[in-house]
């Protein structure tokens, strides 16, 4: 009898928790991200055509080393991107597509990358907000959380097995006694989780410990 009671209680609790999860609002559930790409834009690869929400679009690398998001018929010039480091002719732009499922949403991660040493000198996470193209996350937001643009940085993002979007920044430094470029070292100094708030229709960020993921209070970002 006790064994039957325990089995019944286990089934009841599982069914209750399962139903509770799927009755939660989407904003309270963890949306899963996926990444595809990259697409590199530079003086040899000046145009990348794609579709978003059935609209024909293109990224264009122009003669002033500026990356532009435009409609393919040239009637709309939506957003522009430029490396914050001077001498931008040596830079390329790396574009990756980021998607969520249920609901289906598409965003684009853009980095300005120095061609020789691989440093990152620009970061944008963009997408549609209502009827406009906007920048959800940029260096303006990252600086507020400890990013130092004066350092030599390498930025990258990854998807965890659970589908979380994690941003990581490494900075390059010369160790004590070092003199030559090959002696430079890298260390992680910023680790963030980017998440989508369905209620706010905007990205937020959680600052994570450098060694392990830990939940912290979410902070909604202002528009830039």
């Amino acid at each position: 009898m006790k064994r039957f009671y325990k089995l019944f209680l286990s089934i009841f609790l599982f069914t209750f928790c399962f139903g509770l999860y799927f009755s939660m609002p989407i904003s309270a559930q963890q949306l899963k991200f996926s990444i595809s790409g990259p697409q590199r834009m530079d003086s040899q690869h000046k145009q990348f055509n794609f579709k978003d929400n059935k609209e024909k679009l293109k990224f264009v690398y122009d003669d002033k080393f500026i990356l532009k998001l435009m409609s393919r018929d040239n009637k709309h010039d939506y957003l522009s991107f430029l490396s914050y480091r001077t001498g931008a002719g040596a830079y390329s732009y790396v574009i990756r597509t980021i998607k969520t499922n249920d609901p289906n949403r598409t965003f684009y991660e853009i980095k300005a990358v120095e061609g020789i040493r691989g440093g990152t000198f620009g970061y944008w996470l963009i997408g549609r907000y209502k009827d406009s193209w906007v920048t959800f996350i940029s260096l303006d937001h990252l600086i507020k959380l400890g990013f130092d643009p004066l350092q030599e940085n390498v930025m990258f993002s990854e998807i965890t097995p659970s589908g979380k979007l994690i941003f990581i920044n490494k900075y390059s430094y010369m160790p004590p006694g070092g003199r030559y470029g090959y002696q430079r070292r890298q260390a992680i100094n910023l680790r963030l989780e980017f998440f989508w708030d369905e209620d706010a229709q905007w990205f937020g960020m959680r600052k994570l410990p450098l060694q392990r993921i830990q939940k912290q209070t979410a902070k909604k970002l202002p528009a830039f």
Side-chain angles (χ1 to χ4, degrees), residues 74-157:
N74 295 323
K75 292 181 178 180
H76 303 285
D77 190 340
Y78 291 118
L79 294 172
S80 296
F81 313 93
L82 178 64
S83 166
Y84 67 80
R85 181 70 65 92
T86 58
Y91 293 79
S92 59
Y93 295 88
V94 177
I95 304 166
R96 297 200 299 174
T97 303
I98 298 176
K99 293 187 175 184
T100 66
N101 292 323
D102 193 24
N104 295 321
R105 298 189 179 280
T106 302
F107 309 98
Y108 300 91
E109 178 191 66
I110 303 170
K111 296 190 299 182
V113 180
E114 194 269 334
I116 300 175
R117 301 181 66 168
T120 311
F121 299 103
Y123 185 91
W124 304 267
L125 185 57
I126 69 170
R128 293 182 186 270
Y129 176 72
K130 298 181 179 179
D131 295 326
S132 302
W133 282 92
V134 299
T135 299
F136 292 108
I137 296 175
S138 69
L139 292 184
D140 298 294
H141 304 107
L142 301 179
I143 287 172
K144 293 181 179 180
L145 292 179
F147 174 79
D148 183 356
L150 299 180
Q151 293 177 331
E152 186 170 312
N153 297 286
V154 176
M155 308 175 205
F156 62 96
S157 57

Side-chain angles (χ1 to χ4, degrees), residues 2-20:
K2 288 183 178 180
R3 182 178 299 177
F4 175 79
Y5 174 77
K6 289 181 179 179
L7 178 62
F8 174 80
L9 182 61
S10 299
I11 295 174
F12 173 78
L13 290 175
F14 174 80
T15 305
F16 175 79
C17 294
F18 186 81
L20 180 62

Side-chain angles (χ1 to χ4, degrees), residues 33-202:
F33 292 89
S34 63
I35 294 181
S36 61
Q39 176 69 40
R40 185 174 292 271
M41 306 289 296
D42 53 31
S43 58
Q44 302 299 317
H45 306 87
K46 291 194 170 186
Q47 184 167 324
F48 169 54
N49 295 332
F50 66 104
K51 285 185 179 180
D52 185 283
N53 196 27
K54 297 183 179 180
E55 182 182 10
K56 294 182 179 180
L57 300 165
K58 62 181 177 181
F59 282 106
V60 177
Y61 184 93
D62 71 11
D63 293 335
K64 296 181 180 179
F65 316 116
I66 298 173
L67 182 69
K68 293 185 176 182
L69 171 62
M70 306 175 65
S71 60
R72 219 176 298 174
D73 59 9
N74 295 323
K75 292 181 178 180
H76 303 285
D77 190 340
Y78 291 118
L79 294 172
S80 296
F81 313 93
L82 178 64
S83 166
Y84 67 80
R85 181 70 65 92
T86 58
Y91 293 79
S92 59
Y93 295 88
V94 177
I95 304 166
R96 297 200 299 174
T97 303
I98 298 176
K99 293 187 175 184
T100 66
N101 292 323
D102 193 24
N104 295 321
R105 298 189 179 280
T106 302
F107 309 98
Y108 300 91
E109 178 191 66
I110 303 170
K111 296 190 299 182
V113 180
E114 194 269 334
I116 300 175
R117 301 181 66 168
T120 311
F121 299 103
Y123 185 91
W124 304 267
L125 185 57
I126 69 170
R128 293 182 186 270
Y129 176 72
K130 298 181 179 179
D131 295 326
S132 302
W133 282 92
V134 299
T135 299
F136 292 108
I137 296 175
S138 69
L139 292 184
D140 298 294
H141 304 107
L142 301 179
I143 287 172
K144 293 181 179 180
L145 292 179
F147 174 79
D148 183 356
L150 299 180
Q151 293 177 331
E152 186 170 312
N153 297 286
V154 176
M155 308 175 205
F156 62 96
S157 57
E158 60 186 16
I159 304 296
T160 69
S162 61
K164 293 182 179 181
L165 176 58
I166 306 299
F167 170 90
I168 298 172
N169 184 73
K170 292 182 178 181
Y171 74 100
S172 177
Y173 67 96
M174 185 66 73
R179 297 178 57 188
Y180 305 103
Y182 70 87
Q183 295 176 305
R184 296 184 70 85
R185 300 289 183 266
Q186 288 186 340
I188 296 175
N189 64 349
L190 186 61
R191 193 163 175 264
L192 306 170
E193 179 189 351
F194 295 162
F195 65 94
W196 179 252
D197 187 327
E198 186 67 17
D199 290 335
Q201 294 290 291
W202 204 263

Side-chain angles (χ1 to χ4, degrees), residues 21 24 27-31 162 164 166 191-193 195 205-219:
Y21 175 81
M24 293 167 63
S27 59
Q29 301 178 23
Q30 177 65 53
L31 293 181
S162 61
K164 293 182 179 181
I166 306 299
R191 193 163 175 264
L192 306 170
E193 179 189 351
F195 65 94
M205 298 191 293
R206 294 186 181 97
K207 192 169 185 179
L208 304 176
L210 300 183
Q211 299 300 324
R212 60 187 177 87
I213 296 178
Q214 173 179 312
K215 272 193 172 183
Q216 294 193 0
T217 303
K219 180 180 180 182

